[in-house]
Amino acid sequence: MSVIESVDERCKSCYSCLRACPVKAIKVEEAKAKVIDNKCIYCGSCVKHCPTQAKFAKSSIETTRAFFQQGERVIACLDPTFPAAFESITPQQLVAALKKIGFTEVMEGAFGGELVIQQYQKLLQEGNEKPIISSICPAVVSYVEKYVPSLIPYLAPIVSPMIAMGRMIKGKYAPEAKVVYIGPCIANKWEVQDEEVAGAVDAVLTFAELQTMLSESEIDPTTLPPAEFDGPQPLKASLLPLPGSLVKSLSLPYDILNPESLVVTGKEGMKTILRDLENNNLRVKFLELLYCNGCTQGPRVFNELTRYERRELLMDYVIRAFANHDDASFNRWMEKYGSVDLSRGFNDRFMEIEMPTEKEIKWILRKMGKRRPEDELNCGVCGYDSCRSKAIAVCQGFAELEMCLPYLAKKCQERFTALQRSHHKLKEAQEQLIQSEKLISMGKLAASVAHEINNPISGVLTYIKLMLKKVDGKPLAGKDLASFRKYLNIVAKETSRCGSIVRSLLEFARQSELKIQNLDVNSVLKKTIALLEHQMTLQEIKLTKNFKPLPEILADSSQLQQVFLNIILNAVQVMPDGGEITVSTAEGKDGFIEVRIADTGCGIPRENLPKLFDPFFTTKKGGKGIGLGLSVVYGIINRHRGKIEVESEVGKGSTFIIKLPRRGAASGSSYRSPPE
Ligand code: ADP
C-alpha cells in the first residue's frame, strides 16, 4: 500500500520534491512528479517541501473514524513530540479533545520508548563486536534495507517505541483494542505495514490529520474540561525525540574524544555515516541515527516554531513530568507489561536498477546541450546533484530532458526565433495579399470604365479625322481656318492619348493566362534591352550588363519581357540628362534567380515606396504617366510566385530587384484575372 500520493493537477513542475528527496524516489513524467514507492524511504521530505501540497501522506482519518463507528475500544498513543506540536493548548486539553473525538483511552507513546531503552541496554550488555545502528527511526531502517542492505546486520534488532507501545497494549493490556498512534512522522505509516512488525498498531494519524479531525468535529480543546492521560507515565524516554537522548539514556560515553558513540541526524548525515560504515572507515560502536534533526522536526509538525523553540517546549514538559512522577505506578506497569517481545528482523529490499552505458549517458548529455565539461553547470535546479546524475535518470526513465533549466531556456530562444521568422513571413504574405486584392478590384473598375469609353473615343477620333480630311489641302482662307486646323490636330492628338490610356487600362485589366515555358531569363533581358538601346544612346545613358549563367526557369516569356520593359523604361525616363543603368542577374541561394535593374536617376522618396505598385500612382506630370506600369509588373511577378523589392535613395538612384523561383513554381492561380 502506498504511503505518499501525488495530485497531478497541483504539481507545478518546480522539482522541490526531487531536490528534497534523499534517494531521488521521484519519477517525472509529462512534467508531473510522482513518488516511486519501492525507491521511497517515506521520510516525508517531498510532502514537507512541496509548495502546492501536490504530495501528501495517505490519510488514516477514515480508518480511525470507522473504528469509532464500529464501537471499538480505540486507544490513542501520543508521540512524545506532542508538547512541541500543540504549543497553544495544555496536554490535558489535548487529551480531553482526543476523548471527545471518540478515543476510549489516551496514552503517552513514550512508554514504548521506556520498553525499547531496556532492550537496548540488554543488547549492549551482550557486548558487540560490530557497530550497532539504532533502529528507532523508520526512515533510517527503510534506507538501510533499500540502499545499504550490507548494513542490515548492524541494525539493532529491536522494534521502534511506536511498535513497542502497540505490542505492549495488544500483548497483555488490551488485546481486543485498536491502537492508533498519533505523531509527526510519515514513515510510521509505512512501518505499521512492514511484515516484520505488522499487527501491533492499527492506524497512524499524523499531527496534521489530528488537527483536521479536530476542525471537522468543531472541537475547540481550550473550551473543554482538562483530562489526564491513561496508562503509564513515562520518564526519560519522553526525550527520545531529541538527538542524543538514546545515547544518554543508555549511559554511553558521548564525548568529543570518544569515537565509539555517535549521534547523527539529517539526510546528508545519514547518507554519509552509512557510506563510511559500509566502507569500514570508522571505529564507532553505537550509532544513534535519526533522519530528521530529531522527531520534533518531523514532516507533519505543522506549527511555525523553530527547532530550538520546539526543543524547549518538550524539555519544559519533561521537567514538569519528572517533578510529579509516580515512580511506584511506573514500576508496576514495567513489571506487568515490560516483558513483551520487542524483537524484530529486517529485509533486504535493495532494488537493482540497470545502469546506462557511458555512450547512452553522453548521448543524453549532448541532447541537453552539454557537449563539453564546462556545459555541465550542475546547478541542481532539476533536483539532481549533477547533470550526469540527471542524464542517468533520463536513461532510466525517471526524469525528462525538459527538467533542465538551461536546456529549456535554449529551447525557448529557438522557438522564439522561429516564431519571429514565421511572423515576418506572414506579414510579407499579408502585404502581398493586400496588394493583390487592390490590383484585382482596381482591375475590375478599370476594365468596366475602359470598356464603356473605348467606343465613344473611337467615334470621336474617327470624326475628327474626317473633319481634318475635309480641311486638309484646302487653301487657307483666313486666320480662322488656320487656327481651326491647328485646334483639330490638338483634339486628335489628345483623343489618341485617351485611346492609348484606355488600351493600357484594358491591358492592365485583361491579365491573360500565362504561357509557361522553359526559358533563360538572360536572353529575355537581352531581347528587351535591344528594344530600348537606341533610346538610351540618344539620352546618353550608359548601359552595363552583368549577367551570370542561370538555370532555365518556367515562365511566360512575353510577360517577363513586359516586366523588364516597364522597369527599364521608367529608369530611362527618370534620367533625361543621361546616367547609368546596370542590369545584372545571379542565381540566389534561396531557390530564386535574381534580376537587378539599377539606375542613377532621381530616386524615390521614402513616403512613395509603399504606393509604388498601386494602380494609377504616378508622379509624372503633364499626363506623361498613368501609373499602371509597375502595377502590371507586380501582377506578373506575383503570378510567377516571384517577389519584387525596391531599394532607392533620393538623388542617387533606384534598384528594382526581381526574384523568380527556380523550378516549377509559376502558376496563374495566385493572381486571377479580373472579369472583362
Ligand atoms: P508611370 O510610369 O505611368 O508613372 P509606373 O507604375 O510605371 O507608372 O510608375 C509609378 C511611379 O513610380 C512613377 O510615376 C515614378 O514616380 C515611380 N518610379 C518608377 N520607376 C522609377 C525609377 N526608376 N526612378 C524613380 N521613380 C520611379
Side-chain angles (χ1 to χ4, degrees):
M1 204 175 78
S2 64
V3 167
I4 298 172
E5 301 201 323
S6 314
V7 188
D8 278 358
E9 297 72 44
R10 288 200 200 145
C11 179
K12 298 284 176 264
S13 318
C14 67
Y15 313 126
S16 294
C17 53
L18 202 47
R19 281 192 291 278
C21 180
V23 291
K24 308 301 164 207
I26 305 273
K27 178 174 180 163
V28 177
E29 210 169 18
E30 291 175 10
K32 303 290 175 203
K34 289 188 186 66
V35 175
I36 310 165
D37 210 45
N38 41 8
K39 281 185 90 186
C40 182
I41 61 163
Y42 317 104
C43 62
S45 298
C46 56
V47 176
K48 194 170 172 175
H49 288 92
C50 177
T52 58
Q53 281 87 48
K55 302 267 169 304
F56 61 92
K58 209 173 158 105
S59 166
S60 296
I61 294 178
E62 288 313 312
T63 315
T64 309
R65 284 203 205 284
F67 293 155
F68 298 154
Q69 276 155 15
Q70 288 152 13
E72 303 275 7
R73 177 180 177 184
V74 193
I75 302 178
C77 296
L78 262 182
D79 187 87
T81 46
F82 76 86
F86 293 90
E87 77 285 5
S88 54
I89 54 173
T90 64
Q92 290 73 22
Q93 285 170 335
L94 182 59
V95 173
L98 285 167
K99 289 198 170 167
K100 178 105 179 147
I101 289 178
F103 287 101
T104 328
E105 285 152 77
V106 181
M107 289 186 177
E108 286 195 67
F111 188 72
E114 304 292 353
L115 301 176
V116 164
I117 289 170
Q118 275 192 342
Q119 297 304 311
Y120 273 88
Q121 273 158 347
K122 277 189 197 155
L123 187 68
L124 287 172
Q125 277 158 16
E126 285 165 16
N128 55 315
E129 283 304 307
K130 53 183 190 297
I132 294 172
I133 304 171
S134 66
S135 57
I136 55 176
C137 172
V140 167
V141 169
S142 191
Y143 183 81
V144 173
E145 288 187 326
K146 288 184 179 176
Y147 294 93
V148 273
S150 62
L151 298 184
I152 287 178
Y154 296 2
L155 282 172
I158 301 168
V159 297
S160 70
M162 172 184 77
I163 298 297
M165 199 64 194
R167 285 202 186 162
M168 187 273 288
I169 293 172
K170 298 239 173 169
K172 257 187 182 174
Y173 176 68
E176 80 289 2
K178 296 286 180 199
V179 177
V180 177
Y181 195 82
I182 307 170
C185 179
I186 288 175
N188 282 156
K189 285 182 183 270
W190 164 77
E191 190 187 0
V192 295
Q193 301 171 40
D194 181 353
E195 60 269 30
E196 296 293 334
V197 296
V201 173
D202 298 287
V204 172
L205 284 176
T206 62
F207 285 145
E209 284 163 45
L210 174 59
Q211 188 67 32
T212 307
M213 285 180 90
L214 291 175
S215 318
E216 282 175 3
S217 314
E218 293 178 359
I219 294 173
D220 176 3
T222 57
T223 61
L224 299 175
E228 293 301 330
F229 276 109
D230 301 285
Q233 192 190 14
L235 203 59
K236 53 193 175 192
S238 295
L239 285 171
L240 276 185
L242 300 179
S245 174
L246 181 60
V247 164
K248 189 171 164 46
S249 306
L250 297 172
S251 309
L252 287 168
Y254 184 47
D255 187 284
I256 198 155
L257 288 174
N258 187 327
E260 296 194 348
S261 310
L262 207 54
V263 178
V264 177
T265 65
K267 71 174 173 184
E268 288 313 321
M270 172 188 79
K271 285 162 78 174
T272 314
I273 189 78
L274 293 180
R275 202 171 41 238
D276 285 350
L277 277 182
E278 205 181 20
N279 295 336
N280 256 331
N281 286 343
L282 303 171
R283 277 175 283 158
V284 64
K285 285 267 172 68
F286 187 88
L287 173 63
E288 180 184 334
L289 188 52
L290 299 169
Y291 176 83
C292 304
N293 289 310
C295 308
T296 51
Q297 292 305 102
R300 297 322 274 151
V301 180
F302 47 83
N303 61 27
E304 299 293 317
L305 301 178
T306 67
R307 176 179 170 182
Y308 305 102
E309 286 169 331
R310 288 179 187 170
R311 181 188 166 86
E312 282 192 7
L313 281 168
L314 179 54
M315 281 160 56
D316 289 349
Y317 173 76
V318 175
I319 290 165
R320 273 199 310 274
F322 273 21
N324 303 314
H325 197 254
D326 182 348
D327 292 346
S329 159
F330 179 84
N331 291 336
R332 273 199 306 279
W333 274 87
M334 270 297 187
E335 266 165 43
K336 201 163 177 193
Y337 302 107
S339 57
V340 63
D341 175 19
L342 298 181
S343 64
R344 65 161 297 175
F346 301 97
N347 291 299
D348 183 341
R349 300 179 204 269
F350 184 75
M351 199 174 90
E352 193 77 60
I353 301 171
E354 206 184 318
M355 251 324 253
T357 61
E358 196 53 36
K359 202 172 149 200
E360 288 168 326
I361 299 170
K362 288 235 165 75
W363 185 66
I364 292 291
L365 281 170
R366 262 202 310 280
K367 277 185 112 177
M368 294 193 298
K370 303 183 191 300
R371 293 169 186 279
R372 298 158 305 164
E374 57 267 35
D375 294 331
E376 292 178 35
L377 304 180
N378 303 327
C379 64
V381 173
C382 61
Y384 288 90
D385 303 334
S386 65
C387 298
R388 194 182 158 80
S389 316
K390 152 85 190 299
I392 293 172
V394 173
C395 294
Q396 291 170 332
F398 297 132
E400 292 178 328
L401 283 178
E402 291 75 13
M403 290 160 66
C404 174
L405 193 66
Y407 168 85
L408 267 192
K410 192 167 161 253
K411 270 255 134 48
C412 254
Q413 186 56 47
E414 280 169 10
R415 288 200 185 147
F416 178 68
T417 314
L419 215 64
Q420 264 188 329
R421 227 178 280 135
S422 82
H423 176 74
H424 181 72
K425 274 194 183 156
L426 214 64
K427 215 170 146 214
E428 254 185 19
Q430 192 189 27
E431 276 164 14
Q432 261 187 356
L433 205 69
I434 292 171
Q435 189 64 23
S436 300
E437 288 296 319
K438 223 190 285 181
L439 286 181
I440 289 171
S441 51
M442 294 301 280
K444 279 182 191 166
L445 183 70
S448 61
V449 172
H451 206 72
E452 288 305 314
I453 59 174
N454 201 22
N455 290 343
I457 283 176
S458 314
V460 171
L461 204 58
T462 313
Y463 283 106
I464 290 168
K465 281 184 182 156
L466 278 176
M467 285 163 81
L468 272 171
K469 227 182 204 170
K470 290 226 182 243
V471 293
D472 209 23
K474 297 269 163 53
L476 293 178
K479 211 174 157 202
D480 282 352
L481 193 57
S483 310
F484 182 68
R485 193 185 289 152
K486 186 178 152 203
Y487 295 154
L488 267 185
N489 270 320
I490 292 171
V491 174
K493 203 172 136 210
E494 289 302 306
T495 313
S496 293
R497 215 171 79 77
C498 281
S500 82
I501 292 175
V502 168
R503 267 195 308 284
S504 303
L505 271 177
L506 281 172
E507 207 174 291
F508 164 68
R510 195 190 301 122
Q511 303 279 350
S512 52
E513 280 298 309
L514 298 177
K515 292 191 187 87
I516 296 297
Q517 62 190 94
N518 264 324
L519 55 87
D520 172 29
V521 172
N522 283 339
S523 61
V524 179
L525 269 168
K526 279 177 201 156
K527 261 192 254 167
T528 317
I529 290 168
L531 296 174
L532 295 164
E533 244 160 359
H534 179 62
Q535 180 71 29
M536 290 191 218
T537 319
L538 283 181
Q539 277 181 231
E540 294 185 6
I541 293 172
K542 185 182 163 211
L543 176 73
T544 308
K545 286 184 267 184
N546 188 4
F547 293 170
K548 296 266 157 61
L550 296 176
E552 288 197 329
I553 64 161
L554 288 170
D556 181 318
S557 167
S558 68
Q559 299 233 2
L560 278 196
Q561 193 166 339
Q562 181 161 14
V563 166
F564 301 142
L565 193 72
N566 287 5
I567 295 174
I568 300 173
L569 207 55
N570 274 340
V572 169
Q573 284 172 358
V574 294
M575 295 187 293
D577 304 322
E580 189 175 346
I581 293 180
T582 308
V583 183
S584 41
T585 60
E587 191 182 350
K589 284 197 181 102
D590 49 359
F592 287 84
I593 61 151
E594 198 176 280
V595 179
R596 287 177 164 255
I597 301 170
D599 64 57
T600 55
C602 57
I604 304 162
R606 184 180 283 270
E607 66 274 17
N608 284 351
L609 284 173
K611 300 181 263 180
L612 222 53
F613 298 102
D614 287 358
F616 307 114
F617 172 75
T618 180
T619 56
K620 291 176 190 162
K621 300 273 166 2
K624 284 198 182 124
I626 51 170
L628 286 174
L630 289 182
S631 309
V632 170
V633 164
Y634 187 89
I636 295 172
I637 299 293
N638 200 14
R639 292 167 72 203
H640 280 81
R641 298 254 162 94
K643 296 175 190 169
I644 180 159
E645 291 159 15
V646 187
E647 290 168 359
S648 186
E649 202 177 324
V650 174
K652 288 205 167 163
S654 312
T655 304
F656 284 75
I657 305 150
I658 299 139
K659 291 183 178 180
L660 292 162
R662 277 178 56 186
R663 239 172 293 127
S667 131
S669 61
S670 68
Y671 180 71
R672 277 183 293 111
S673 313
E676 284 180 43

